[in-house]
C-alpha cells in the first residue's frame, strides 16, 4: 500500500469519525470543529486518492487550497453567528439539542 | 470589447458591486445598487442575445483552457437561468430599496450580501466543472445564511445557524463525492466525465454522496426542516430570493449531474429515480399539510416552498429510464416549473411582506379585512397563487401540464395522481388565506405602504402568469443549444 492511498484511507476515517461527532454532539463549537475535521478528511481524500491512481498531480492541491479558504470563511461566519447567538441569550446549542446538552453537563 | 468577455462580465459586475457596497456609506448604497441593477440587466440581455444568435459559448478564465483552466460555459440553459436570476433579483432589489427604509440597520448589510448571492448564483449557472460548482454553492450558502441572520435577533440567528450547519454538511458530502470522482477519473469537467464513467462501486458511492448532499441543500423531504424557519423568518426580499432562486441552484446541479451520469449507470440505479420521486411526493404531501396548519402567513408560504420543491423531484422518475419523448417532456416541465415557481414564490413573499408591514402582524387571523384595505397586495398574492396551484393560464399550469403528459406517455399513472393531488392541496392552503381576508368583523389599524412595494410584487406575479402564454420563449432558448456539453442527452 502506497503512502497516498494511506492518506486517503486516513481521510476516510477522519470523515467517518467527525460525521458521527457532527450529529451526536450538541455544543455548536464542538460541531463546528467536527465540521472542520470532516473537511480535512475530505481534503486528504481529494489529494491522496487521485495521486495513488495517477501519480503526482498539482490540480487537487490547488483544489484543496481553495477548499481551505472556503472552510475558513465558513468557520468565521459560523463563529460570528454563534457568538451573537450566545449574546442574545440563545445559549451554546440549538434548541433541538438543548435537553441532551443538559444531561451531558 | 470582444463579445467573449460578456460571460465573465455577468460575474464581475455583481462581485465588484458587492465589494464596493461594503466600503460605501450606507446612505449611498440604494442609489449605487440601482445603478448596478441596470448595468447587470443590460449585461445579461446582451449575453442572452449573443447566445441566441451564435449558440453555446465558452470562456477560459485568464486564457487557460480545460483541463487545467477554469472554464465558464454559457449555453441556452444557463442564459435562461441567468435571465431568471437577473429578473427576480432585480425586481426584489427594487422592492428592497423601499422595503428596507423601515430597517435602516439591516440595509447596510443587505446590499453586499445581495450582490454576493447574485455572484454565486451566476457562477453556478456558468460553471462547467464540479469543483467550480462547489465553490459557487459555498459562496451561495454563506451569502444566504448572512441574509437569513440579518435581523440578528435570537430566532433569526437560530434559523441561520441551523441552515448554516446543515448546508455546510451537505456541501462536504458533495465535496466528498467530487473527491471520489476525481480520484477515479482524474477530471472534473462536466464535458469529459460522461464518457469516462464506469459502473463501479466508486462511481456509485460518489453519485450517492453528491445526490444526498445536494438534496439536503435543496431542502427535499426529509431534509426540509431547516427551510421554513430560515425562509419564513427572514425579511421579505430575502425570503423571496431564497425561495425563488437559492434552493433551485442545488437542484440544478443534481439534475445536471444525473443527466450526464445516468446513461453509464442505468442498470445499477434502476429503482433510485422512483425513490427520489417518492421523496418528492412526500414533500408535496407533508409541505402542503404543514402549510395548511400554519398560524403565520410567512410560515405558510415557506411550507408551500417545501411542497413545491417536491414537484422538482418528480423529474427523476419521469425523465430517467423512460422513453425519449417522455424524458424530454419531463425536462421541459421541470425547467418551466423551476421558472414559474421562482416568479410566483418571489411575488408571493413580496406581497406577504407588504401585508405584514400593513397590518403589523404575521398571524393569519389578523388578515381579516385586508381585501378592502390593501387590495393590491392581496391581488398580487392571488395572481401568484394561480400559478402555484397550476390553474390556467399560468406558467405553473403549463409546467404541470407537461409533467402530466410525460407521466401519461410513460404510463406512470401514480405520478399523475401526485401532480393533481398536489394542485388541490395547494388550493386548500391558499383559500385559507382568502377566506380570512374577506372577513370584515374586526377593525385593525392598517399602515399605508409605499406603492412601489405592490408594483414590484404585481410585476413578478404577472410574469408568472405571462409564462402561461409565452412558455415557448424560455423553452426554445433552452433547446437552442441544450445539452451538447452534457453528452448529447436530450
Amino acid at each position: 500500500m502506497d503512502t497516498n492511498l494511506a492518506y486517503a484511507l486516513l481521510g476516510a476515517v477522519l470523515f467517518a469519525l467527525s460525521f458521527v461527532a457532527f450529529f451526536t454532539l450538541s455544543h455548536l463549537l464542538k460541531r463546528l470543529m467536527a465540521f472542520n475535521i470532516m473537511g480535512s478528511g475530505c481534503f486528504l481524500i481529494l489529494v491522496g486518492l487521485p495521486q495513488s491512481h495517477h501519480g503526482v498531480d498539482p490540480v487537487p492541491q490547488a483544489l484543496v487550497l481553495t477548499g481551505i479558504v472556503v472552510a475558513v470563511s465558513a468557520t468565521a461566519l459560523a463563529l460570528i453567528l454563534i457568538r451573537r447567538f450566545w449574546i442574545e441569550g440563545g445559549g451554546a446549542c440549538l434548541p433541538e439539542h438543548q435537553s441532551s446538552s443538559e444531561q451531558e453537563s | 470589447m470582444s463579445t467573449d468577455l460578456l460571460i465573465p462580465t455577468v460575474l464581475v459586475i455583481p462581485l465588484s458591486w458587492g465589494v464596493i457596497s461594503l466600503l460605501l456609506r450606507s446612505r449611498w448604497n440604494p442609489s449605487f445598487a440601482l445603478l448596478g441593477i441596470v448595468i447587470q440587466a443590460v449585461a445579461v440581455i446582451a449575453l442572452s442575445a449573443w447566445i441566441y444568435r451564435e449558440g453555446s459559448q465558452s470562456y477560459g478564465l485568464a486564457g487557460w483552457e480545460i483541463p487545467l483552466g477554469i472554464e465558464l460555459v454559457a449555453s441556452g440553459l444557463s442564459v435562461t437561468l441567468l435571465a431568471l436570476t437577473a429578473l427576480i433579483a432585480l425586481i426584489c432589489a427594487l422592492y428592497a430599496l423601499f422595503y428596507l427604509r423601515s430597517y435602516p440597520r439591516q440595509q447596510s448589510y443587505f446590499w453586499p450580501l445581495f450582490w454576493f448571492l447574485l455572484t454565486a448564483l451566476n457562477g453556478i449557472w456558468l460553471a462547467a466543472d464540479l469543483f467550480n460548482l462547489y465553490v459557487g454553492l459555498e459562496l451561495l450558502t454563506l451569502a444566504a445564511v448572512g441574509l437569513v441572520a440579518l435581523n440578528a435577533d435570537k430566532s433569526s440567528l437560530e434559523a441561520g445557524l441551523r441552515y448554516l450547519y446543515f448546508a455546510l454538511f451537505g456541501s462536504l458530502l458533495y465535496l466528498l463525492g467530487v473527491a471520489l470522482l476525481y480520484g477515479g477519473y482524474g477530471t472534473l469537467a462536466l464535458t469529459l466525465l460522461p464518457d469516462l464513467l464506469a459502473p463501479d462501486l466508486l462511481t456509485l458511492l460518489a453519485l450517492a454522496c453528491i445526490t444526498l448532499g445536494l438534496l439536503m441543500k435543496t431542502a427535499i423531504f426529509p431534509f426540509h426542516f431547516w427551510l421554513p424557519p430560515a425562509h419564513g423568518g427572514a425579511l421579505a426580499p430575502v425570503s423571496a430570493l431564497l425561495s425563488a432562486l437559492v434552493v433551485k441552484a442545488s437542484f440544478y446541479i443534481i439534475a445536471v449531474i444525473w443527466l450526464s451520469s445516468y446513461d453509464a449507470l442505468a442498470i445499477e440505479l434502476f429503482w433510485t429515480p422512483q425513490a427520489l420521486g417518492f421523496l418528492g411526493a412526500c414533500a408535496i404531501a407533508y409541505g402542503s399539510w404543514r402549510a395548511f396548519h400554519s398560524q403565520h402567513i410567512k410560515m405558510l408560504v415557506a411550507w408551500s416552498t417545501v411542497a413545491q420543491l417536491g414537484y422538482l423531484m418528480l423529474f427523476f422518475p419521469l425523465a430517467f429510464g423512460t422513453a425519449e419523448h417522455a424524458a424530454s417532456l419531463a425536462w421541459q416541465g421541470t425547467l418551466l416549473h423551476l421558472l414559474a415557481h421562482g416568479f410566483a414564490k418571489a411575488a408571493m413573499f413580496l406581497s406577504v411582506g407588504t401585508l405584514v408591514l400593513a397590518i403589523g402582524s404575521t398571524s393569519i387571523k389578523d388578515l381579516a379585512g385586508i381585501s378592502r384595505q390593501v387590495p393590491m397586495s392581496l391581488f398580487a398574492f392571488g395572481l401568484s397563487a394561480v400559478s402555484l396551484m397550476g390553474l390556467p393560464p399560468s406558467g405553473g399550469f403549463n409546467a404541470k401540464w407537461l409533467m402530466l403528459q410525460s407521466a401519461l406517455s410513460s404510463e406512470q399513472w401514480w405520478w399523475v395522481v401526485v401532480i393533481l393531488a398536489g394542485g388541490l392541496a395547494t388550493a386548500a392552503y391558499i383559500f385559507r388565506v382568502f377566506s380570512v381576508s374577506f372577513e370584515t368583523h374586526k377593525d385593525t389599524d392598517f399602515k399605508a405602504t409605499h406603492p412601489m412595494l405592490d408594483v414590484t410584487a404585481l410585476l413578478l406575479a404577472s410574469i408568472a402568469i405571462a409564462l402561461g402564454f409565452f412558455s415557448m420563449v424560455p423553452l426554445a432558448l433552452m433547446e437552442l443549444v441544450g445539452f451538447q456539453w452534457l453528452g448529447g442527452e436530450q
Side-chain angles (χ1 to χ4, degrees):
Chain A
M1 191 168 73
D2 66 321
T3 340
N4 284 314
L5 196 61
Y7 279 131
L9 289 176
L10 179 66
V13 172
L14 279 180
F15 193 94
L17 280 176
S18 43
F19 182 100
V20 175
F22 191 82
F23 283 102
T24 51
L25 295 176
S26 56
H27 196 288
L28 283 167
L29 274 178
K30 290 183 188 167
R31 294 181 68 201
L32 187 64
M33 283 160 77
F35 159 75
N36 272 284
I37 296 172
M38 218 186 309
S40 306
C42 235
F43 298 150
L44 274 176
I45 299 176
L46 191 53
V47 175
L49 199 58
Q51 303 212 50
S52 78
H53 283 214
H54 313 289
V56 176
D57 186 350
V59 174
Q61 304 188 6
L63 298 184
V64 165
L65 208 56
T66 317
I68 290 172
V69 173
V70 170
V72 167
S73 354
T75 309
L77 177 66
L79 285 175
I80 286 178
L81 291 182
I82 293 170
R83 181 169 164 271
R84 188 64 189 244
F85 187 57
W86 171 266
I87 293 173
E88 297 287 329
C93 315
L94 288 174
E96 57 263 37
H97 299 296
Q98 218 103 56
S99 56
S100 59
S101 73
E102 278 158 19
Q103 286 161 13
E104 250 174 49
S105 60
Chain B
M1 186 176 102
S2 87
T3 34
D4 266 31
L5 285 174
L6 271 174
I7 300 176
T9 304
V10 297
L11 286 179
V12 169
I13 294 170
L15 190 60
S16 33
W17 249 257
V19 174
I20 297 171
S21 29
L22 271 177
L23 306 172
L24 277 185
R25 282 170 176 277
S26 60
R27 80 191 148 95
W28 288 107
N29 260 323
S31 30
F32 184 65
L34 201 60
L35 180 71
I37 291 167
V38 175
I39 296 179
Q40 174 75 5
V42 171
V44 170
I45 291 170
L47 179 64
S48 310
W50 177 49
I51 299 299
Y52 193 73
R53 268 199 325 273
E54 309 272 325
S56 192
Q57 301 289 337
S58 68
Y59 178 84
L61 282 180
W64 291 85
E65 297 299 331
I66 268 188
L68 261 188
I70 295 172
E71 195 185 31
L72 301 174
V73 172
S75 63
L77 175 64
S78 48
V79 291
T80 313
L81 293 168
L82 274 176
L84 166 87
T85 311
L87 203 54
I88 292 183
L90 304 182
I91 296 177
C92 285
L94 275 181
Y95 180 93
L97 285 178
F98 297 94
Y99 182 86
L100 290 175
R101 286 179 183 174
S102 336
Y103 301 91
R105 197 189 58 78
Q106 283 91 331
Q107 193 183 20
S108 49
Y109 296 103
F110 175 83
W111 290 111
L113 289 168
F114 167 82
W115 288 113
F116 286 131
L117 190 84
L118 207 56
T119 315
L121 281 167
N122 290 350
I124 289 173
W125 309 139
L126 291 173
D129 68 82
L130 293 172
F131 195 77
N132 251 351
L133 286 171
Y134 168 74
V135 175
L137 268 177
E138 285 290 50
L139 181 56
L140 188 65
T141 302
L142 298 185
V145 168
L147 285 169
V148 167
L150 212 52
N151 275 332
D153 54 12
K154 198 176 143 189
S155 63
S156 71
L157 286 165
E158 183 192 313
L161 274 168
R162 187 180 296 118
Y163 177 20
L164 178 68
Y165 274 63
F166 214 65
L168 286 179
F169 180 73
S171 315
L172 273 188
L173 268 186
Y174 173 81
L175 185 65
L176 183 65
V178 171
L180 292 176
L181 279 182
Y182 192 84
Y185 302 104
T187 180
L188 293 172
L190 282 170
T191 29
L192 304 176
L193 267 178
D195 301 329
L196 298 173
L197 289 179
D200 54 10
L201 187 67
L202 180 94
T203 316
L204 283 174
L205 192 63
L207 188 65
C209 286
I210 288 177
T211 309
L212 198 62
L214 292 174
L215 286 182
M216 289 178 171
K217 301 192 81 140
T218 318
I220 298 298
F221 182 90
F223 308 118
H224 60 278
F225 53 84
W226 58 264
L227 185 141
H231 289 199
L235 296 174
V238 173
S239 311
L241 287 169
L242 294 184
S243 265
L245 298 171
V246 172
V247 281
K248 307 291 166 53
S250 38
F251 174 79
Y252 162 81
I253 301 176
I254 312 181
V256 162
I257 290 174
W258 270 69
L259 281 173
S260 49
S261 62
Y262 184 78
D263 283 347
L265 306 166
I267 299 159
E268 286 74 13
L269 289 172
F270 70 108
W271 56 268
T272 350
Q274 293 290 332
L276 290 173
F278 177 71
L279 288 186
C282 292
I284 295 173
Y286 188 68
S288 307
W289 189 75
R290 287 297 298 263
F292 188 73
H293 289 278
S294 300
Q295 299 304 314
H296 295 279
I297 179 80
K298 291 193 75 177
M299 290 306 270
L300 183 145
V301 185
W303 277 107
S304 152
T305 300
V306 172
Q308 296 289 321
L309 288 173
Y311 279 103
L312 292 176
M313 296 304 286
L314 301 185
F315 170 61
F316 295 97
L318 296 179
F320 296 109
T322 54
E324 198 178 325
H325 177 63
S328 106
L329 281 175
W331 178 235
Q332 293 183 343
T334 308
L335 284 173
L336 201 57
H337 178 70
L338 200 150
L339 299 183
H341 176 254
F343 288 116
K345 193 45 67 74
M348 192 171 259
F349 262 121
L350 294 189
S351 57
V352 162
T354 320
L355 287 177
V356 170
L357 270 190
I359 62 177
S361 154
T362 60
S363 172
I364 291 180
K365 273 181 292 190
D366 295 334
L367 291 175
I370 53 167
S371 60
R372 283 193 190 169
Q373 306 289 339
V374 266
M376 288 317 276
S377 309
L378 194 66
F379 181 56
F381 181 85
L383 272 187
S384 58
V386 166
S387 179
L388 280 190
M389 288 185 270
L391 298 179
S394 68
F397 169 75
N398 287 12
K400 284 172 189 161
W401 184 248
L402 286 169
M403 285 189 197
L404 277 178
Q405 279 185 314
S406 168
L408 287 172
S409 80
S410 58
E411 293 172 347
Q412 305 190 66
W413 54 268
W414 51 94
W415 300 124
V416 177
V417 177
V418 170
I419 294 167
L420 293 176
L424 285 178
T426 315
Y429 60 75
I430 295 293
F431 280 115
R432 249 189 84 216
V433 176
F434 278 102
S435 68
V436 177
S437 69
F438 287 106
E439 287 174 16
T440 47
H441 59 85
K442 237 176 67 180
D443 281 324
T444 335
D445 278 339
F446 290 95
K447 266 189 282 181
T449 50
H450 197 285
M452 266 308 278
L453 298 181
D454 288 333
V455 171
T456 45
L458 264 177
L459 190 60
L460 279 171
S462 338
I463 296 173
I465 299 289
L467 265 182
F469 299 101
F470 304 108
S471 300
M472 289 335 282
V473 177
L475 289 180
L477 187 57
M478 284 184 285
E479 289 294 299
L480 188 68
V481 272
F483 275 89
Q484 287 162 356
W485 56 282
L486 287 182
E489 186 79 22
Q490 307 305 327

